[in-house]
Amino acid sequence: PRDSRACIGCRRAAALGSSDSFVSTASAPVATSVAAPSALASLAQGLPAEGDDEDTTAASGASSEDTNWLLDWQVESELQSLRFWSRIVLLAAMSVPGSLAWHFSAELSAATMAIPDLPMMAHVALGAVLLAIVLAHRVIWRTLRVLWVCGVLMASLMRTDRRAKATTEKGSKAIWGMAHNVHARFLLRATMDLSGFYVKIAQTLSVATAIPEPFNRELSKLQDSMPAEPLSDVEKTLTEEFGKDWGKKIRLHPGPPLGSATIAQVHRATLYMTGPGGTVKEIEGVIKVQHRQMRGNLAVDMRAASLLAALLAYVSPVLFDDFADVVREVTSFTKVELDFRNEAESQQRAREAALAHGVDIVIPSVFTNLVTPRVFAMEYIDGERLSDFAKSARRSEKVRVVHDLIEFFAFSFTQAGIFNCDPHPGNLLITKDSRLCVLDWGQARHLSTKEMEAYSTLFVAASLEDPFLLVEAGRKIGLKYEEHAALSMVQALRFIMRDSRPIHMSKTDIQDLEKMFSRFGQIPELSNVKGDSRDILRGPLLPLSKTVDLLHNVSTRLDVSLSLLQVFTARGYEHVLKNNTPVGLEAPEIQKASIGFVLNPSVLDAAPAHGSQLDAELRKMLIDAHAQGDVLGAQVVILDAQTGATISDLAYGHSTYLRGRNVTRRTPFDIGEISKLHLALGVLRLVEAGRLKLDANLGELWPKAKAMREVTVEQILSHTSGIVQVFPKGIPEIAKLCNLSWILDHLETSELQPMMPPGFKQHYMHYTYGWLLAGVLQRGMQQDVVRCMALGRRDFAANREQASTILQHTDVAEQTREMNSSSVEDLANLFANVGEFLDVLEKARLHGATAEEKANGESFLSVHGYTHWLHPGASTQDGFSSGLLPGVTAYSTAGSLAQLLLSVERGEVLQASTLANMKRSRRVPGQQEAKLFNQHAQFRKDEWGLGAQLVDVHGDGSEAGKAWGHVSAGGSFALVVPGRRPMVAAVLLNRMDGWERGLSKKLLDVVAKFASGGSA
């Protein structure tokens, strides 16, 4: 039969032709995709190979069995060749130290021969002892074997890389595909030969989705298929642990063990348990018995692995800088695992926690009277392996199992106080009623209340993409994260906990990530980004990555897509919200929505509607959007611009995700960029008073700001200053960012200057808008910037402290990102945004780049290292509470904003001519869309007059059809909407996705429709 298969293989090879037409089951090196079917893999599935026609396939008579054998035969042949040549090289390499050893022994022998009374046998004995010491020292010997395995793999990978680069893309895939199959089998056999501690490391790799699929497939055989010890050794261990009469307590069932792993093997057994009154009860259970030689081998391997980790980190710190952390983590848990009493305690504690919280998971009960350091008795669970379950289960059953698995681990980290640190499919069973059973609690970690709080906060931080909350979570468990690196770490955590998806998509995610990191490495200023991201997996958080790898492995192989982060966050969010809810208030109920969470109940605080149709429609829109998870908290005020009558005055939702307080119509909101309008109005009042001229430049008004002396007041107000940098260089910390006096001093000595000629183009200014105008007011005119922005009103606060004193409201609605999972779409947006960021930087560095392209590059590069300061979570930091960030942060209500705009429109704040000048567009004709960082994408196409943003709400492009006022990047707006019945609309949202989710535009469109002639 083998000859006939070989003939089939020859015919098939002839049909396949050159290597260019051969596509493998794996893809490019390191993190590869298995999406592309290979010729052999296609044949194995009964399909024609690429480049084949169906007639050829049918004529060959090749069956799936034939082609599977052919592929296996080819892999085995390549493997034998690899092992043969590696041993030849090893022997050649050993000849050098062998020669040196021979020379040394000869010198030693000559020296000993010079001793007069030493007999010849003593010389021989001395040499034999020295040789025996070298060969018998297990640490040296096993370490050398490991180094040999690593060296063979490294050399073969380098050879494969050279071969792959010398051919076409299709040929490269084929070469790498065969190499991955060969290397995976080589590593499997080497690991089985070494056994011991290295099997534990290989088991960890077996569930990692980042490695090529052949490695997953081969290394997964180590999960419960290690060689078992003979029954005589098992009985000897039982005798040593329970005495000669152990048979009165345990009767082993005949046959092979149920499973054999690294440390122990498991046998089916009948257990004789003594009950009340001395009655003996037979219970069907299992006995876990430790391998007899395990302790010695593991001790040797742990020392050898530590030495190997240090060596690899020295040779290649980029690739192996965190390998020592992995070894230390596995070492610490393995030492605990060697005493089965620890496992019994952990398993029983996990079982009790699951039962107490109603978690639908099976954990076998422990028989404590049959637990010793090397033997462990537990309940027998009748179930099947995950791989067998996957073949026959219905999709609904698969979804339930994966959901229960994710829920269980989320519960473990946030509420149970214990989690399994050795998660792999070999430790999972599916019971007859399709319930999940978790086995093997030898590597378990017990969590304190503070640690559970830390993990809960960590998951919420990932869901909110909040770097400051991540720093707080780390602080709870003694980890100090740098703020500038925390945002990269949050994104790394979101990537790790991304939604599960088919295996080929997961591997494509890794490929895309590696490509992105490789582009970062090409820009010197960004070279530290990858290192910052990797820090999330160090120390106490390392077990989390193993857990998530298991969840991805199981869910992708069962072809089930679920949101890992949403499930983990839901469990942790309950903990965080309860701790942050003010005393005396009941924490709101958390409900899952399509992309995040909804807090209930929410109370509608509304002024009498008087039968307004617009008010009714706005109420319905807010309530529906809240139910769908599109709103956290909102205020809406609509006024008739002609009569001043209130058409709608609403408040709904909650002030923040982290505090369970309802929003009212008096709750101060962080109005963000809308506060630029207050600053512009204050400046224009000074212009009207003749104390300031629009064409006055900074050289006249603020002489110390020499680098910006040509910029005029009008150009600052109209965003045409040419200063496109978001941050000047040299701001050391967030406290300095919020210290206006320090910032103005810094601007006087910094190199911040226009990157485009002033007046050349409208380009949104974020921080610099307020800083430059504050410099004009405070340094040039000795005017207080806060008083100028307040416009004599008592309904405006420049920071959170003033919100408590001036607005007399202790709770404020802070800006926040949406609480969402890391979905396919979210990941695609992340890669797209990062890709655009890198595109702009790379284009700016090209030879022949235009001045505008160079300016865009400087704009984007200016946020590197400061990106976390653009996150809404920054506003919760201490510096923001009392600091001043004019035009970026301020507090007010929708009612106050609406009344302010109404006063301006009526001529009560500015004269009619000044207001007309303010609303006249300064957009440069023919200018291209501005390149803005992602957080400010809303302003890319917008236009301004003198501090007033102009918004085309009717879509006709006419000047008369544009609303004026200002919007925020997140979705809030305060606008005067023109029409047959002009309206003043102030809508404040405390979540930053109002424009992105479309809610803000829907609200504005409804107001514009009624302003155009609809009955309000």
Side-chain angles (χ1 to χ4, degrees):
R2 294 214 167 192
D3 289 339
S4 64
R5 288 175 182 170
C7 292
I8 293 171
C10 292
R11 292 198 302 271
R12 176 57 51 195
L16 291 175
S18 69
S19 64
D20 286 355
S21 64
F22 176 32
V23 185
S24 162
T25 54
S27 174
V30 185
T32 56
S33 169
V34 293
S38 69
L40 288 176
S42 299
L43 289 171
Q45 298 168 10
L47 301 172
E50 185 176 350
D52 254 346
D53 56 55
E54 296 185 14
D55 293 337
T56 306
T57 305
S60 70
S63 66
S64 174
E65 182 184 359
D66 293 328
T67 49
N68 279 335
W69 176 87
L70 176 59
L71 178 60
D72 188 71
W73 174 81
Q74 183 65 31
V75 170
E76 197 64 31
S77 298
E78 293 281 347
L79 177 62
Q80 295 305 322
S81 175
L82 175 64
R83 291 169 68 92
F84 173 78
W85 286 110
S86 63
R87 286 167 179 164
I88 294 296
V89 172
L90 179 64
L91 289 174
M94 288 179 64
S95 64
V96 176
S99 299
L100 293 175
W102 180 263
H103 177 73
F104 173 75
S105 62
E107 293 289 338
L108 183 62
S109 178
T112 54
M113 288 292 288
I115 301 175
D117 298 325
L118 194 65
M120 179 58 65
M121 289 303 296
H123 299 292
V124 177
L126 180 61
V129 168
L130 289 174
L131 181 60
I133 288 174
V134 173
L135 295 179
H137 198 296
R138 289 189 295 174
V139 175
I140 296 176
W141 181 241
R142 289 178 68 82
T143 303
L144 288 175
R145 291 177 66 189
V146 173
L147 288 174
W148 175 73
V149 171
C150 293
V152 170
L153 283 175
M154 191 68 71
S156 184
L157 284 169
M158 293 171 64
R159 176 174 176 268
T160 303
D161 187 47
R162 288 196 301 271
R163 291 176 59 205
K165 287 179 178 178
T167 185
T168 63
E169 181 179 357
K170 188 181 291 186
S172 175
K173 290 180 179 180
I175 290 170
W176 274 111
M178 179 57 69
H180 288 324
N181 278 283
V182 173
H183 295 154
R185 194 166 297 184
F186 174 81
L187 187 59
L188 170 68
R189 294 185 182 175
T191 304
M192 293 184 72
D193 288 342
L194 288 164
S195 69
F197 185 70
Y198 299 106
V199 175
K200 304 296 292 183
I201 296 177
Q203 286 174 343
T204 301
L205 290 175
S206 71
V207 297
T209 55
I211 63 175
E213 194 273 339
F215 287 90
N216 293 126
R217 184 181 64 247
E218 295 291 344
L219 297 182
S220 64
K221 297 173 183 177
L222 297 170
Q223 291 167 4
D224 58 359
S225 301
M226 291 297 294
E229 288 185 344
L231 187 59
S232 59
D233 283 354
V234 173
E235 292 175 342
K236 187 181 297 184
T237 300
L238 292 174
T239 301
E240 292 171 355
E241 295 296 311
F242 296 114
K244 294 181 179 180
D245 59 347
W246 63 267
K248 296 180 180 180
K249 301 177 180 179
I250 303 166
R251 178 172 61 84
L252 297 177
H253 289 199
L258 296 175
S260 179
T262 318
I263 290 178
Q265 58 195 62
V266 177
H267 291 263
R268 183 83 180 270
T270 299
L271 310 176
Y272 301 105
M273 311 298 292
T274 303
T279 59
V280 177
K281 182 179 180 181
E282 292 186 5
I283 297 177
E284 289 304 307
V286 297
I287 288 289
K288 183 174 180 178
V289 183
Q290 194 173 111
H291 297 315
R292 296 186 63 79
Q293 300 299 321
M294 185 49 57
R295 288 176 181 266
N297 285 341
L298 281 176
V300 170
D301 291 344
M302 289 174 190
R303 290 194 295 271
S306 299
L307 178 62
L308 177 64
L311 178 63
L312 291 175
Y314 176 78
V315 172
S316 180
V318 174
L319 291 176
F320 300 107
D321 67 331
D322 55 350
F323 187 55
D325 291 337
V326 176
V327 171
R328 277 193 296 270
E329 186 76 16
V330 177
T331 297
S332 64
F333 283 122
T334 304
K335 289 179 179 177
V336 174
E337 193 177 8
L338 289 174
D339 189 336
F340 284 174
R341 291 172 298 184
N342 296 323
E343 179 175 357
E345 179 188 352
S346 297
Q347 183 166 317
Q348 191 62 26
R349 179 175 171 181
R351 173 183 168 83
E352 291 170 358
L355 292 173
H357 288 81
V359 178
D360 189 22
I361 211 83
V362 177
I363 300 176
S365 60
V366 177
F367 301 115
T368 54
N369 62 321
L370 294 177
V371 175
T372 73
R374 293 192 295 163
V375 177
F376 174 22
M378 72 187 90
E379 171 189 9
Y380 171 70
I381 302 296
D382 188 12
E384 61 181 337
R385 300 185 190 205
L386 198 66
S387 56
D388 296 328
F389 171 78
K391 297 174 184 176
S392 58
R394 296 190 300 271
R395 177 160 184 79
S396 60
E397 293 174 330
K398 294 179 181 179
V399 170
R400 178 190 169 188
V401 164
V402 173
H403 181 268
D404 288 349
L405 181 65
I406 297 173
E407 280 280 4
F408 173 69
F409 275 102
F411 158 76
S412 299
F413 278 96
T414 59
Q415 293 174 313
I418 182 172
F419 66 91
N420 192 320
C421 295
D422 188 24
H424 58 73
N427 290 341
L428 303 176
L429 284 180
I430 310 300
T431 65
K432 297 301 182 183
D433 56 351
S434 297
R435 297 174 67 200
L436 183 69
C437 175
V438 181
L439 305 170
D440 196 350
W441 288 82
Q443 291 190 21
R445 183 170 178 179
H446 297 254
L447 300 175
S448 65
T449 300
K450 182 175 287 188
E451 287 174 318
M452 285 190 286
E453 289 179 5
Y455 273 111
S456 298
T457 306
L458 183 77
F459 299 139
V460 173
S463 188
L464 288 171
E465 301 180 53
D466 190 335
F468 301 96
L469 205 55
L470 176 72
V471 172
E472 180 185 330
R475 194 180 299 122
K476 291 178 184 289
I477 51 178
L479 297 176
K480 185 177 180 181
Y481 295 135
E482 298 295 334
E483 285 182 359
H484 68 84
L487 189 59
S488 294
M489 294 169 69
V490 164
Q491 294 297 348
L493 183 59
R494 285 180 62 82
F495 181 84
I496 293 166
M497 301 190 72
R498 66 196 182 279
D499 293 359
S500 62
R501 60 203 76 179
I503 189 70
H504 68 274
M505 291 184 64
S506 291
K507 292 182 182 293
T508 301
D509 293 340
I510 302 293
Q511 283 182 296
D512 293 340
L513 184 68
E514 286 296 329
K515 290 176 183 177
M516 185 178 74
F517 277 139
S518 67
R519 292 184 67 187
F520 274 120
Q522 295 170 9
I523 300 175
E525 295 89 341
L526 309 181
S527 58
N528 63 327
V529 172
K530 185 172 183 178
D532 291 343
S533 303
R534 267 199 313 237
D535 284 344
I536 193 64
L537 297 179
R538 299 183 187 276
L541 299 184
L542 186 61
L544 177 62
S545 65
K546 291 176 62 179
T547 298
V548 174
D549 265 336
L550 167 74
L551 300 179
H552 271 289
N553 186 281
V554 172
S555 56
T556 54
R557 292 178 192 285
L558 291 180
D559 198 25
V560 173
S561 295
L562 289 175
S563 174
L564 271 67
L565 183 56
Q566 188 180 45
V567 175
F568 274 75
T569 302
R571 287 281 185 179
Y573 188 24
E574 295 175 10
H575 204 95
V576 172
L577 190 59
K578 183 177 180 180
N579 288 345
N580 289 337
T581 299
V583 177
L585 293 179
E586 185 177 348
E589 179 186 350
I590 301 170
Q591 295 181 349
K592 290 182 182 179
S594 58
I595 65 164
F597 300 94
V598 175
L599 298 180
N600 282 314
S602 286
V603 179
L604 179 67
D605 180 20
H610 305 297
S612 166
Q613 182 181 347
L614 175 57
D615 179 76
E617 188 164 343
L618 291 173
R619 290 182 186 220
K620 184 178 186 305
M621 290 177 69
L622 277 186
I623 294 173
D624 289 348
H626 182 272
Q628 295 167 9
D630 289 340
V631 167
L632 174 60
Q635 287 178 344
V636 176
V637 173
I638 310 297
L639 304 179
D640 188 310
Q642 294 173 330
T643 67
T646 299
I647 299 172
S648 183
D649 187 357
L650 312 171
Y652 195 66
H654 289 80
S655 58
T656 72
Y657 275 119
L658 303 182
R659 297 190 303 274
R661 302 193 68 166
N662 280 291
V663 167
T664 70
R665 289 178 291 155
R666 294 184 62 248
T667 301
F669 272 64
D670 184 348
I671 62 175
E673 296 87 350
I674 294 176
S675 62
K676 284 180 170 61
L677 184 62
H678 292 77
L679 188 52
L681 290 171
V683 169
L684 290 175
R685 291 181 71 176
L686 292 173
V687 172
E688 279 189 344
R691 301 177 61 184
L692 183 63
K693 293 183 179 180
L694 290 174
D695 60 358
N697 61 42
L698 295 187
E700 305 169 39
L701 300 169
W702 188 11
K704 289 187 177 180
K706 297 178 182 179
M708 301 171 285
R709 57 184 176 273
E710 297 178 4
V711 177
T712 67
V713 173
E714 181 174 2
Q715 289 165 348
I716 299 171
L717 288 171
S718 60
H719 295 272
T720 57
S721 69
I723 298 175
V724 300
Q725 300 93 319
V726 180
F727 297 102
K729 297 177 181 178
I731 305 178
E733 58 185 3
I734 200 168
K736 301 297 185 185
L737 176 77
C738 304
N739 186 329
L740 183 59
S741 179
W742 186 92
I743 283 290
L744 296 182
D745 289 341
H746 182 65
L747 290 178
E748 292 176 353
T749 58
S750 76
E751 298 177 356
L752 184 69
Q753 60 183 334
M755 295 303 298
M756 293 185 289
F760 174 75
K761 180 180 181 179
Q762 273 196 340
H763 189 288
Y764 171 71
M765 302 164 64
H766 188 58
Y767 282 101
T768 50
Y769 179 94
W771 287 337
L772 295 188
L773 290 178
V776 169
L777 294 171
Q778 295 199 172
R779 297 293 167 91
M781 304 179 65
Q782 288 71 53
Q783 293 287 315
D784 183 77
V785 67
V786 176
R787 184 175 298 176
C788 183
M789 294 174 70
L791 302 168
R793 304 169 67 92
R794 295 284 298 173
D795 54 9
F796 174 86
N799 53 45
R800 200 160 62 243
E801 281 188 3
Q802 290 186 8
S804 300
T805 56
I806 298 176
L807 303 183
Q808 298 182 349
H809 213 287
T810 56
D811 189 46
V812 297
E814 300 285 2
Q815 292 187 8
T816 178
R817 289 188 63 88
E818 65 278 15
M819 186 177 281
N820 65 354
S821 63
S822 185
S823 63
V824 176
E825 295 78 12
D826 181 77
L827 204 59
N829 288 336
L830 172 64
F831 287 140
N833 291 333
V834 174
E836 181 188 23
F837 176 78
L838 294 171
D839 288 343
V840 170
L841 294 185
E842 289 169 355
K843 186 175 289 186
R845 291 164 185 251
L846 291 176
H847 179 70
T850 65
E852 187 173 355
E853 289 171 342
K854 292 178 180 179
N856 290 334
E858 284 295 321
S859 173
F860 275 48
L861 192 59
S862 71
V863 302
H864 177 60
Y866 303 120
T867 313
H868 56 295
W869 291 349
L870 297 175
H871 191 280
S875 65
T876 64
Q877 302 306 295
D878 292 338
F880 274 76
S881 298
S882 57
L884 291 178
L885 285 164
V888 174
T889 296
Y891 292 85
S892 189
T893 64
S896 297
L897 287 173
Q899 288 296 332
L900 173 63
L901 287 179
L902 181 64
S903 298
V904 176
E905 185 71 5
R906 286 177 166 181
E908 298 171 2
V909 178
L910 296 177
Q911 298 174 9
S913 59
T914 305
L915 178 59
N917 194 24
M918 180 185 187
K919 294 191 288 185
R920 182 171 60 83
S921 175
R922 265 57 172 191
R923 186 177 180 86
V924 178
Q927 76 166 49
Q928 296 180 351
E929 178 182 312
K931 288 287 186 183
L932 295 175
F933 200 61
N934 182 54
Q935 279 86 335
H936 304 142
Q938 174 60 29
F939 303 117
R940 290 178 177 178
K941 297 180 180 179
D942 289 351
E943 61 181 309
W944 285 266
L946 292 178
Q949 190 172 355
L950 308 176
V951 182
D952 186 7
V953 293
H954 297 302
D956 58 8
S958 66
E959 291 295 322
K962 292 178 181 177
W964 72 269
H966 218 289
V967 308
S968 77
S972 299
F973 57 85
L975 297 169
V976 177
V977 181
R980 291 171 55 190
R981 185 181 179 183
M983 294 183 182
V984 176
V987 173
L988 297 180
L989 305 175
N990 58 347
R991 219 172 74 178
M992 295 293 292
D993 62 343
W995 298 114
E996 182 182 346
R997 301 288 295 173
L999 176 63
S1000 299
K1001 187 176 187 309
K1002 290 177 184 177
L1003 292 169
L1004 184 55
D1005 286 346
V1006 169
V1007 175
K1009 182 186 72 173
F1010 279 89
S1012 296
S1015 175

